[in-house]
Amino acid sequence: MTLLRGANPSRYQRIQTLLVAVGLFSCSAVFFTVVSRVDLLVEIIRWEFLAVGLLALSALIAVRDGGLRRTWLFAFALEAGFGIHLGGVGITGKPPGPLFRVVWAGVVGLIAALILGTLGGSLGLGVKRLSTS
């Protein structure tokens, strides 16, 4: 890791960001796999709570970074992990195939990143600018 850090700091930062995004996607996908098997958790965890959590996370990332690029990437990764489990629910009569699930995860991730990531990031940037003024 020190070789990467010393060679090119921006390249190291991009690799680190990509690894965090892959980790967020994986954790989100595993989390929703586990949650869907426990009835009590299915009743407690609602999509509204997840949306508010994503808004808050987006605001914090935007405040830390001063921009929206990582906010969009991390929102996409989290919601794509969530979306991979919603593939085909109410759309097809049979369980969806892997290609449909991946496409559906991409669509859900993109929509969430554009809406929730932008809104949360903009709120975070606004608070940051108001606090520094």
Side-chain angles (χ1 to χ4, degrees):
M1 285 294 192
T2 57
L3 292 175
L4 284 176
R5 190 176 298 175
N8 188 348
S10 64
R11 182 170 184 237
Y12 173 76
Q13 191 175 26
R14 285 191 301 251
I15 291 171
Q16 184 181 22
T17 300
L18 182 63
L19 289 175
V20 169
V22 169
L24 287 172
F25 172 79
S26 301
C27 289
S28 177
V30 168
F31 175 77
F32 285 108
T33 299
V34 171
V35 165
S36 66
R37 295 189 176 142
V38 180
D39 291 333
L40 179 62
L41 290 177
V42 170
E43 294 175 14
I44 293 173
I45 298 176
R46 301 182 48 94
W47 67 269
E48 294 93 351
F49 301 145
L50 299 171
V52 169
L54 185 60
L55 281 171
L57 178 69
S58 296
L60 290 173
I61 292 169
V63 165
R64 181 189 173 275
D65 289 347
L68 293 177
R69 186 179 309 166
R70 282 189 187 175
T71 302
W72 288 325
L73 179 65
F74 293 161
F76 175 82
L78 281 169
E79 288 301 315
F82 174 67
I84 205 158
H85 295 292
L86 294 179
V89 176
I91 297 174
T92 62
K94 59 183 179 173
L99 179 63
F100 183 82
R101 284 180 172 264
V102 168
V103 170
W104 186 256
V107 168
V108 169
L110 183 63
I111 291 171
L114 290 176
I115 295 172
L116 297 175
T118 302
L119 180 60
S122 298
L123 289 172
L125 289 174
V127 167
K128 181 179 180 179
R129 289 191 179 130
L130 284 174
S131 68
T132 58
S133 298

